[in-house]
Amino acid sequence: MDAQGRGQAEDIDPADQWVLNPDTGDYELRLPSSAPQSPVPGPRRAAPAPEREVPAPRRRRATPEEPPPGRRDRRRPAKKKAKKKSRGKKILLWTGGTMAFVILAVGTAGYLYLQHLNDNIESLPDDGASTGGFQKDQAINILLIGTDKRTGSGNDGYGDKGSAGHADTTLLLHVSKDRSNATALSIPRDLIVDIPDCPTTQEDGSTKVIPGSSGVRFNQSLGQSGRTPSCTMRTVTELTGVKPDNFMVADFNAVKTLSSAVGGVEVCLAKDIDDPDSHLNLPAGKHTIEGEEALAFVRTRHSVGFGGDLSRIELQQQFLSSLMRKLKSNDTLTSPTKMVKLAEAATEALTVDSKLDSIGKLKDLGMELGKLDTKNLTFATVPVIDNPAEPKPVTVVLKEGPAQQVFDMVKNDISFTEVKKKEKEKKKKEDAAVAARLEGAKSEPSEIRVRVLNGGASAGSAGRELTYLQNEAGVTKSENAGNAPAEIAKTTLEYAPDQADQARALAEILGLSGAAMKPGESVTNSQGLPTMTLTLGKDFKGAGVKLDATSAKAPEDLQKSTADKVECAK
């Protein structure tokens, strides 16, 4: 074959030479019956013979291992593969383009739906009262506020129609840094508090400072005098020492729409209830409630417990526990219909702070909350007592020691369900000699003599601690000795060797570690008797608060429950 023939043959794609034999079902190499100078017949030849037929059955099968007799193997596997790859690319481009169009269409619909949800969200400024928003790698504190505002259809028949929307139900939700546990702390609406001055953003963008109030009900921190949720935030911070990251506000409609969106929540009553004020009429036993009935359940109070707000708080905690379980159930999470209803209900019913003003931010918060096991979510109520200043108490005040203890546990990220393992290990590793100071006989509280000095705690701490020791701890032989000569970082208790039994008893009351106990000398009190010296350092957290945070436990009489159980309201 000359160079021209070889060049022409090289330009012919071998894939065109292979044809399917219908009799054998195999592909065979088609060869010309004339013009031997050209290895391949077909439409690319200058003078094709269309009438020529090649009887395929007479051809010997060509195999990859053996070319036909007298011919060079013209197959070029590399180009054949390249040809198929080219066709494959066309298929992929076509299907990929189609899929891209489908994804784009769905994505556009999804985007428009997300925009719709974003438009549902109503937000208010936090006015600098928050931390700036929750962080994924830190503990989370969300202030949940339920108002008594009567907006929306069907709500005219409930209570005060003209309410500005007070903080009727308030919970401080604390989620631990490691997401292993959480605490929902209910703050009674009738708790007497001091509301601080509240800088508040007006509609025109200006800032107005709403004056604070002393000795008023907590629920006046919202709605009263034009106060916004940022005022409630500041009040909670001043009350508990915990600064919320974000707030969420829900009115009556939120209870109705959210309970219906999940298909109802299960609650339990230990007795029949027929309350004309809340419109709740349910017999004893378990019920699945939603909508109007759910709202009536969380509002009733006259027919449960002592008939007050504290009894209603227990019902609300039961409802929220059940709602949390339903939200995390497979029945909800695997139902697209329920998830869409939830998204609609939540974005329409909730008012959030400006740091949570998009569906994306709410989703991120939801992902963090979703890591929590409901058995480690504790519902608790701030410890309170009837207001002693009222002949017939209708308001309450803090039960100082236990309340400060609860606040301190939240601030120090300590679980109400269990003490963390790392804290237990830390306590086990405490030096044996130091720990031994706590071992031995203990005096009765009435036998303890101690003077209290302020050595770096906030102003007035010594006086408040003295009040706690005398009125709640039974340490009646105690006195305030003013300020210490110098400030110290850690609280200490100095005592003489013959006062060790008193020191151990006081250490147990205060939650002092062995390291805080300083064997030394006694001093003389105002009666001329030997006494110990308690110096409050910068670590002092408040009257009645256990000083060793790692050993802190919830007060024994704390009203609390976990979200993994249904407890019947009595």
Side-chain angles (χ1 to χ4, degrees), residues 488-532:
I488 57 175
K490 300 288 186 180
T491 298
T492 61
L493 175 62
E494 187 174 0
Y495 59 97
D498 60 350
Q499 296 172 317
D501 52 349
Q502 295 183 46
R504 286 189 286 265
L506 187 58
E508 183 177 56
I509 292 171
L510 301 179
L512 292 175
S513 66
M517 300 174 66
K518 304 296 182 183
E521 298 179 355
S522 65
V523 295
T524 302
N525 64 10
S526 58
Q527 284 78 40
L529 299 173
T531 185
M532 302 182 294

Side-chain angles (χ1 to χ4, degrees), residues 71-127:
R71 298 286 182 185
R72 290 192 300 113
D73 186 2
R74 298 295 185 189
R75 293 167 296 153
R76 297 173 191 164
K79 280 195 175 182
K80 182 179 178 182
K81 288 181 180 179
K83 187 77 172 179
K84 288 186 177 180
K85 184 176 181 181
S86 177
R87 292 174 181 172
K89 282 183 179 180
K90 291 179 181 179
I91 294 172
L92 286 174
L93 285 172
W94 186 87
T95 57
T98 304
M99 288 303 297
F101 176 79
V102 172
I103 292 172
L104 179 62
V106 174
T108 301
Y111 172 77
L112 293 175
Y113 183 64
L114 289 179
Q115 285 298 104
H116 161 70
L117 293 179
N118 279 330
D119 292 340
N120 284 348
I121 299 172
E122 182 179 351
S123 66
L124 292 172
D126 67 353
D127 299 316

Side-chain angles (χ1 to χ4, degrees), residues 180-182 372-378 417 561-565:
S180 67
N181 64 88
L372 181 67
D373 190 333
T374 53
K375 71 180 181 181
N376 289 326
L377 169 58
T378 302
T417 55
S561 62
T562 52
D564 60 329
K565 302 173 184 176

Side-chain angles (χ1 to χ4, degrees), residues 169-172 184-188 313 316-317 320 379-383 559:
T169 301
T170 305
L171 294 97
L172 178 61
L185 186 63
S186 292
I187 302 174
I313 285 176
Q316 293 170 346
Q317 290 175 348
L320 291 172
F379 283 88
T381 304
V382 173
Q559 176 187 315

